[in-house]
Amino acid sequence: METKSAMPQNSIFPTDRVSEFCLRVKSGEIVAGPDVRNAAKRHLNDLKNGHKRGLVWRQDLADRAIGFFEDVLCLNGGEYEAQPFLLAPWQAFIVGSIFGWYTVDGFRRYSIVYVETGKGSGKSPLAAGIGLYGLVADGEQRAEVYAAATKREQAQILFRDAVSMVNLSPHLQQRLEQSGRNEKVWNLFYPNTNSFFRTIASDQGQSGPRPHIGLIDEVHEHRDGTVVNMMLAGRKNRKRAMVVMITNSGSDKNTVCGQYHDLSVSVCRGTQDNDQLFAFVCSLDEGDDPLHDESCWPKVNPSLDHLSHGQTDGIPGRKYLRDQVKEAIGLPAKESVVRRLNFCEWTQADSPWIGWDVWNQAQERVLMALLKNRPCVGALDLSSTTDLTAFVLMFYPTDTDPHWRLMPYFWIPDHDLDTRERRDHVPYRQWISQKWLETTPGRAISKRFILRRMTAICEAFTVLKIAYDRWRIEDLQQLMNDYSITLPTMVPFGQGFTSIGPAVDEFERRLLGIATKNESTGETETDIETLRHDGNPVMTWNAGNAGNAVIVCDAANNRKVDKAKAIGRVDGIVAAVMAAGISSGGRISNSKSIYEEEGVGI
């Protein structure tokens, strides 16, 4: 086993590998990010106070599981082939925690495990070892252990690690029976308890698994929660069942991976209670810049400082990371991938128009009272039948609040929401319950319902005018005439490059706070009013999530949002761009205030 470092003489904690890791993180000896620091703090707090909630720390079982890895298992591949599986401190923390914590009634405390680290840190071999421990050393009769994925080929990657470990271990070779040969082994059977370890995939049409251990690799690649839910649903018949999810960071917070990431961060932070979830989430501190400062790399690559078997560098290796950084600089698409996979930054899209960091820093909710009687313009992106409809208000800056304020409204038909969620891979029902999204009755979008809501919205605020896509407005105008509905001045807004290009530039200028040159005076204006949005997750999804907002250019470098190339919906962003286009900027060419130009007093 790996040699233990000295523990404090006066420590009130057990001298085990799990607590040792936590104390070394707490002291700063191990470089860790904020969420790992919180996970370590959580463990130490539970050692003190967990008994009050019926939690029991079994150091003997934690040590037994760690010993299984280091005394029984061997690594496979490259220079590590057949070497003992000496756990890095972070791996010992995970293994010891998930097998060492119980409840007073004998249940395993953690039934869900979420692990997120940089690429190449050793997650897959760790998960394979957890599966083998559950198969042969956990004392579970008729244990079912699964490597699960959306497709069988993906599940095979983790399972092959487990098979290789078995073949390299004399102990396991003698105790396990393999079905298949060489690379085509498909089942590991343990006769002593009639237990098995095999792959399972959602595309195989299987149902009814009752996992003792369910292992799910690369969760960030799962477009929906089918596999995770399949594993979780089978736990009810097992007293110590556990589902283990391992992943790199993703690009879509509305996926199952993003949801468990956010939950894990909240649980470790202590803002949400969940004694059944173990979380190890590698992340950077605010202000860390991994492309220019190597000192933060171990926070998201936790094996980087772990040297074993005579190695002079941990995994994935500093040379590898330096090469990745070198390739990323100057190439936005590559940079996005490197930040996500190697440095655990949720980039929101592989190559977005609007970067996640830019959109996130622009989020700021304000009291509705701040927007009452404040001039604004609106823009409507009306769906033809069943898609998302967006109406976006953009409020002008004021002396007391020098920001453009963006407030969107969204609607979809209320028919068959389950199908819509599966199709678009977003939690529509959750957004509706949280009032970020509204529904209209029927199978198709109800334009009359939209008109009535727009009327109420415009009565609540000082809306000067509303931009619309002229190709989709005839039916709406007819309904307005039929029902005597009056809205503020409606302004047609072309969707071609020439019409919308300047609006794209203006929206981007406000969002980024870029100074512009006044064409009348020739002077550069530096008092740029920046844009702030209210954090509506539907708008965030439109803005950059999963590559939604894709920009294309014409020969004159005019730009527009391309709906044809968007992976998801972009209606809110299109409406926001139109609103920026008709609001004329915070200043106009004759240096009058925009409010003077519109005839509105402040």
Side-chain angles (χ1 to χ4, degrees):
M1 288 190 176
E2 186 186 58
T3 303
K4 298 179 182 177
S5 63
M7 294 290 291
Q9 291 289 324
N10 60 350
S11 174
I12 65 171
F13 302 111
T15 56
D16 65 283
R17 298 272 290 281
V18 177
S19 302
E20 178 186 5
F21 172 82
C22 296
L23 292 170
R24 292 173 66 190
V25 166
K26 181 180 179 181
S27 70
E29 181 184 349
I30 290 178
V31 178
D35 299 312
V36 171
R37 295 197 299 269
N38 286 336
K41 181 180 178 181
R42 180 192 186 197
H43 175 79
L44 296 177
N45 287 341
D46 286 345
L47 286 178
K48 290 181 181 178
N49 304 312
H51 65 280
K52 300 175 184 177
R53 305 197 308 278
L55 302 180
V56 179
W57 172 241
R58 292 288 305 275
Q59 181 176 329
D60 58 326
L61 296 182
D63 291 342
R64 183 174 184 270
I66 292 171
F68 174 82
F69 274 80
E70 301 188 330
D71 298 335
V72 176
L73 298 182
C74 293
L75 296 168
N76 62 287
E79 58 190 322
Y80 295 100
E81 183 75 11
Q83 296 288 342
F85 198 148
L86 302 182
L87 293 174
W90 70 276
Q91 293 173 321
F93 171 61
I94 293 172
V95 171
S97 293
I98 64 178
F99 289 110
W101 276 108
Y102 278 78
T103 63
V104 290
D105 50 4
F107 282 80
R108 183 168 279 148
R109 171 188 180 178
Y110 294 122
S111 60
I112 302 176
V113 177
Y114 181 84
V115 178
E116 180 181 327
T117 75
K119 180 181 179 182
S121 295
K123 296 185 296 295
S124 293
L126 179 68
I130 290 171
L132 290 172
Y133 185 85
L135 177 67
V136 304
D138 219 8
E140 184 78 5
Q141 293 295 318
R142 299 190 183 278
E144 298 178 19
V145 180
Y146 295 100
T150 55
K151 296 185 180 299
R152 185 174 181 274
E153 292 76 12
Q154 186 182 42
Q156 280 289 121
I157 296 173
L158 190 152
F159 182 70
R160 279 197 293 267
D161 272 339
V163 173
S164 296
M165 288 180 181
V166 170
N167 292 333
L168 291 170
S169 169
H171 299 286
L172 296 182
Q173 274 186 322
Q174 297 170 9
R175 301 167 71 184
L176 292 175
E177 297 176 5
Q178 300 186 25
S179 299
R181 297 183 60 186
N182 300 324
E183 291 298 308
K184 295 184 178 180
V185 173
W186 60 272
N187 188 73
L188 298 173
F189 179 68
Y190 183 45
N192 287 14
T193 59
N194 290 304
S195 302
F196 65 77
F197 186 172
R198 64 179 63 151
T199 63
I200 189 172
S202 60
D203 63 352
Q204 292 176 291
Q206 300 185 32
S207 61
R210 296 178 297 176
H212 173 55
I213 304 288
L215 308 169
I216 309 175
D217 199 359
E218 304 295 2
V219 185
H220 71 282
E221 296 181 3
H222 292 222
R223 294 302 301 271
D224 57 44
T226 302
V227 175
V228 174
N229 293 334
M230 178 176 65
M231 288 291 100
L232 293 178
R235 296 173 303 160
K236 58 185 179 182
N237 296 318
R238 298 280 184 181
K239 194 172 184 179
R240 297 181 297 163
M242 183 164 56
V243 174
V244 180
M245 292 177 271
I246 60 173
T247 189
N248 300 126
S249 301
S251 60
D252 185 352
K253 280 292 188 72
N254 292 308
T255 59
V256 65
C257 185
Q259 291 162 12
Y260 272 99
H261 167 92
D262 287 346
L263 174 62
S264 297
V265 169
S266 296
V267 169
C268 290
R269 189 179 293 162
T271 57
Q272 190 163 342
D273 295 329
N274 190 327
D275 273 332
Q276 290 74 49
L277 173 70
F278 173 85
F280 186 89
V281 180
C282 290
S283 56
L284 297 171
D285 282 286
E286 185 175 352
D288 284 342
D289 183 359
L291 299 191
H292 298 92
D293 181 7
E294 296 186 7
S295 67
C296 65
W297 288 0
K299 295 180 182 179
V300 286
N301 295 277
S303 292
L304 199 59
D305 288 336
H306 174 64
L307 306 181
S308 62
H309 307 298
Q311 302 301 311
T312 58
D313 196 6
I315 57 173
R318 282 176 172 77
K319 181 182 184 303
Y320 164 79
L321 292 175
R322 288 175 188 135
D323 289 343
Q324 295 300 301
V325 168
K326 185 176 180 181
E327 292 177 17
I329 293 177
L331 296 173
K334 174 69 174 178
E335 178 180 336
S336 178
V337 174
V338 168
R339 286 186 179 276
R340 179 171 62 82
L341 295 182
N342 299 113
F343 301 118
C344 294
E345 294 186 78
W346 281 76
T347 55
Q348 289 298 107
D350 288 338
S351 184
W353 168 40
I354 302 169
W356 170 243
D357 55 342
V358 172
W359 185 255
N360 189 50
Q361 62 85 27
Q363 176 176 328
E364 183 182 58
R365 298 190 70 180
V366 295
L367 295 174
M368 197 66 68
L370 189 65
L371 304 178
K372 292 287 186 180
N373 303 316
R374 179 169 170 174
C376 67
V377 298
L380 175 67
D381 191 289
L382 183 66
S383 68
S384 55
T385 53
T386 63
D387 291 336
L388 196 68
T389 286
F391 179 53
V392 174
L393 297 180
M394 186 172 287
F395 294 84
Y396 289 103
T398 67
D399 291 337
T400 56
D401 179 33
H403 296 294
W404 294 93
R405 295 286 177 183
L406 197 68
M407 187 165 66
Y409 294 85
F410 293 96
W411 297 271
I412 59 170
D414 61 9
H415 178 72
D416 202 3
L417 287 172
D418 291 335
T419 298
R420 295 178 190 279
E421 286 196 335
R422 289 194 296 269
R423 179 194 67 189
D424 293 340
H425 309 292
V426 291
Y428 282 133
R429 289 187 183 277
Q430 178 181 330
W431 290 341
I432 292 167
S433 69
Q434 295 174 344
K435 303 188 183 306
W436 296 113
L437 173 66
E438 300 177 45
T439 59
T440 70
R443 292 175 175 269
I445 201 76
S446 171
K447 295 181 176 64
R448 186 170 65 176
F449 183 94
I450 298 292
L451 279 174
R452 287 174 174 169
R453 283 291 292 123
M454 287 177 63
T455 300
I457 293 166
C458 291
E459 288 175 351
F461 299 104
T462 308
V463 182
L464 305 177
K465 52 189 175 182
I466 298 172
Y468 65 89
D469 180 355
R470 57 176 174 261
W471 297 110
R472 291 183 173 179
I473 207 67
E474 292 84 0
D475 292 344
L476 201 70
Q477 290 175 325
Q478 186 62 50
L479 283 171
M480 291 171 65
N481 293 332
D482 292 345
Y483 290 93
S484 300
I485 294 174
T486 302
L487 289 172
T489 303
M490 302 291 286
V491 181
F493 203 106
Q495 302 298 298
F497 284 107
T498 303
S499 299
I500 210 165
V504 170
D505 294 341
E506 180 66 13
F507 181 84
E508 190 176 80
R509 182 186 77 92
R510 294 175 188 175
L511 187 62
L512 298 176
I514 300 173
T516 59
K517 186 176 181 180
N518 188 307
E519 297 298 333
S520 177
T521 64
E523 297 179 355
T524 298
E525 296 181 344
T526 56
D527 55 337
I528 304 302
E529 300 91 349
T530 53
L531 181 69
R532 294 289 182 265
H533 61 86
D534 64 357
N536 186 314
V538 189
M539 179 63 93
T540 296
W541 173 49
N542 283 198
N545 230 351
N548 287 13
V550 177
I551 290 291
V552 291
C553 302
D554 66 2
N557 286 325
N558 293 309
R559 299 179 297 163
K560 70 174 184 177
V561 180
D562 192 337
K563 288 190 175 183
K565 291 187 177 181
I567 295 173
R569 311 295 174 197
V570 294
D571 311 81
I573 282 296
V574 171
V577 168
M578 288 194 291
I582 66 168
S583 57
S584 305
R587 295 286 184 270
I588 56 176
S589 58
N590 62 3
S591 297
K592 288 183 180 180
S593 162
I594 185 64
Y595 311 113
E596 295 178 84
E597 178 72 8
E598 298 288 353
V600 178
I602 305 176

